[in-house]
């Protein structure tokens, strides 16, 4: 047997099968096995149902928790597997802590459970947000060449993060950015 331009010059299929010691029955058996194997693999990869429940926080915090919770965000993913659900469930306390931090809750206690039954997975998270971090005092000072700049003084007087209130991380970042932008606009 020799090849010319990538083609087998063998005219007899049985000679080819004999050459590699393969019977026609064996070829059919292997082909049938592969068809069944791939069919079973596709059938077993059906989407995983996931139900997520969050308790212990009000609607604003709950909405933010769900926006951060990767398991909740992936629950409708058609390619979600059991192992991924378990991995995302283990990651959930970190997701929840990150969701609470912008609202001043940095010491939350989270109890979680993940169960599986015939309908799918059920993830439950009970959150004790703990005490919020309060703004104890605010001290902003301008030193150097901008010390007498009226625009900078006005920006400092207009600081909107009140003492005694819960630390709102988004408001803090907004105010900090406003002060920095004022300094940049004044040439500092």
């Amino acid at each position: 047997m020799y090849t010319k331009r990538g083609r087998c010059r063998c005219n007899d299929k049985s000679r080819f099968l004999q050459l590699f010691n393969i019977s026609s029955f064996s070829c059919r058996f292997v082909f049938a096995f592969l068809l069944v194997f791939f069919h079973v693999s596709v059938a077993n990869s059906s989407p995983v149902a996931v139900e997520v429940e969050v308790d212990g926080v009000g609607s604003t915090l709950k909405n933010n928790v769900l926006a951060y919770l990767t398991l909740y965000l992936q629950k409708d993913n058609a390619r979600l597997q059991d192992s991924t659900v378990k991995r995302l469930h283990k990651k959930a306390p970190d997701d929840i802590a990150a969701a609470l931090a912008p609202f001043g809750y940095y010491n939350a206690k989270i109890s979680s459970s993940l169960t599986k039954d015939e309908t799918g997975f059920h993830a439950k998270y009970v959150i004790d947000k703990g005490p919020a971090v309060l703004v104890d005092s605010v001290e902003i000072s301008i030193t150097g060449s901008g010390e007498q700049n009226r625009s900078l003084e006005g920006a400092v007087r207009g600081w909107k993060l009140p003492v005694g209130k819960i630390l709102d991380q988004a408001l803090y970042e907004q105010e900090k950015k406003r002060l920095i932008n004022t300094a940049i606009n004044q040439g500092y």
Side-chain angles (χ1 to χ4, degrees):
M1 181 184 333
Y2 68 96
T3 60
K4 183 176 182 182
R5 294 186 190 165
R7 294 177 148 180
C8 178
R9 297 281 310 220
C10 180
N11 292 331
D12 186 9
K13 289 182 184 177
S14 64
R15 184 170 168 203
F16 175 78
L17 294 174
Q18 287 174 354
L19 181 65
F20 290 101
N21 199 18
I22 301 174
S23 71
S24 178
F25 175 76
S26 297
C27 286
R28 288 183 187 137
F29 177 76
V30 169
F31 181 70
F33 174 77
L34 290 174
L35 281 177
V36 169
F37 175 75
F38 285 118
H39 178 68
V40 169
S41 294
V42 172
N44 285 339
S45 66
S46 61
V48 175
V50 179
E51 179 184 305
V52 177
E53 183 181 348
V54 174
D55 292 328
V57 291
S59 62
T60 302
L61 289 176
K62 182 177 181 175
N63 289 338
N64 207 51
V65 166
L66 292 175
Y68 273 73
L69 197 57
T70 310
L71 180 58
Y72 180 79
L73 297 173
Q74 294 295 318
K75 72 183 182 74
D76 296 324
N77 184 339
R79 298 195 293 173
L80 193 61
Q81 299 292 319
D82 288 9
S83 61
T84 308
V85 171
K86 292 172 186 173
R87 181 179 52 81
L88 294 177
H89 174 71
K90 285 181 183 176
K91 181 182 177 295
D94 293 336
D95 290 346
I96 293 169
L100 296 176
F103 296 94
Y105 298 100
Y106 294 93
N107 297 308
K109 291 179 178 62
I110 300 142
S111 63
S112 61
S113 65
L114 182 67
T115 58
K116 184 178 182 183
D117 60 21
E118 64 277 350
T119 63
F121 284 96
H122 303 278
K124 184 172 182 176
Y125 305 101
V126 179
I127 303 167
D128 174 8
K129 61 187 177 199
V133 172
L134 301 177
V135 178
D136 185 39
S137 64
V138 176
E139 183 179 322
I140 304 170
S141 60
I142 302 170
T143 58
S145 61
E147 193 169 4
Q148 301 300 322
N149 185 301
R150 290 180 193 222
S151 294
L152 290 177
E153 289 174 358
V156 169
R157 276 193 307 274
W159 183 259
K160 295 178 185 167
L161 194 64
V163 173
K165 298 290 182 177
I166 295 173
L167 174 62
D168 181 337
Q169 191 68 34
L171 181 58
Y172 170 77
E173 291 297 330
Q174 176 186 331
E175 287 299 297
K176 182 174 78 171
K177 186 175 182 179
R178 186 179 60 81
L179 290 176
I180 290 170
N181 286 339
T182 301
I184 291 170
N185 289 337
Q186 294 298 309
Y188 297 103

